[in-house]
Amino acid sequence: MKYTNTYKKVELIISEDLLKRLSSYGIEQFSNEFGGFLMGYYSNNFKTLTITDTVLPKVYQGTPYLFQRSIKGIGGTFEVYYKKQPNQYYIGEWHTHPNGSTAYSHTDKQAMVNITQCATVNITNPILLIISINASEINGFQFYLYDNNELFPFVEST
Ligand SMILES: [Zn+2]
């Protein structure tokens, strides 16, 4: 599946299988929010971003209206991941909105600001994926690209 961000002229590719996998992790935790780290890689010209995988947080707090993941204990997991798959790296975040919309909250946006200000994460345009789910299936999803205090939605490529 392909999506385009007209603001940054970036194309995003994700497999339906991966999206289903993320949704099923979220449905398992329904009616609390759940999420994790998105892994992937950019093409050489930085015009295409392929999302390949997720890493789930070890420490997190999920309520029906909030998801906060910690990077506690995750350093080792990332190290192992990077050794196995040196061409893939952390590119953003995903979380669910149980019975909610795919719009981002103020807290969601602030979390993205914090990521770009984090000294250990060298990333200026992280991706945010919000998946709306109910108790048994996915309602919808939306990808955003963060840049300089704003979140820009992706649209389906034609
Ligand atoms: Zn949210």
Side-chain angles (χ1 to χ4, degrees):
M1 300 188 292
K2 276 188 181 180
Y3 301 88
T4 309
N5 189 282
T6 48
Y7 170 75
K8 273 274 178 181
K9 296 190 171 56
V10 171
E11 193 157 61
L12 183 153
I13 298 173
I14 187 168
S15 72
E16 209 172 331
D17 277 357
L18 177 56
L19 198 68
K20 274 187 189 154
R21 190 150 65 90
L22 303 183
S23 308
S24 66
Y25 290 140
I27 289 163
E28 276 172 33
Q29 304 284 331
F30 186 89
S31 59
N32 288 331
E33 293 194 6
F34 185 64
F37 307 93
L38 291 173
M39 314 300 286
Y41 60 90
Y42 275 92
S43 60
N44 288 337
N45 62 5
F46 290 97
K47 289 295 173 201
T48 308
L49 169 63
T50 306
I51 299 178
T52 54
D53 204 356
T54 186
V55 168
L56 299 180
K58 292 224 174 2
V59 179
Y60 61 90
Q61 193 197 5
T63 74
Y65 299 104
L66 183 72
F67 177 74
Q68 282 179 309
R69 95 288 184 278
S70 167
I71 52 166
K72 253 183 213 154
I74 208 74
T77 309
F78 275 130
E79 256 173 54
V80 170
Y81 195 95
Y82 292 148
K83 254 179 213 160
K84 270 195 212 154
Q85 295 171 96
N87 300 322
Q88 294 173 35
Y89 50 97
Y90 165 77
I91 51 97
E93 306 271 332
W94 70 275
H95 70 269
T96 58
H97 283 175
N99 288 334
S101 81
T102 57
Y104 58 85
S105 67
H106 176 75
T107 313
D108 291 341
K109 188 172 157 184
Q110 195 52 47
M112 301 308 281
V113 175
N114 294 344
I115 287 163
T116 57
Q117 290 170 351
C118 173
T120 54
V121 175
N122 192 10
I123 183 167
T124 51
N125 296 122
I127 298 294
L128 172 63
L129 165 62
I130 294 177
I131 307 175
S132 168
I133 56 158
N134 58 42
S136 58
E137 61 184 4
I138 181 169
N139 296 322
F141 59 92
Q142 178 67 56
F143 287 99
Y144 299 93
L145 182 139
Y146 175 90
D147 190 48
N148 196 22
N149 267 312
E150 297 278 351
L151 282 162
F152 300 92
F154 281 80
V155 293
E156 213 168 326
S157 297
T158 46

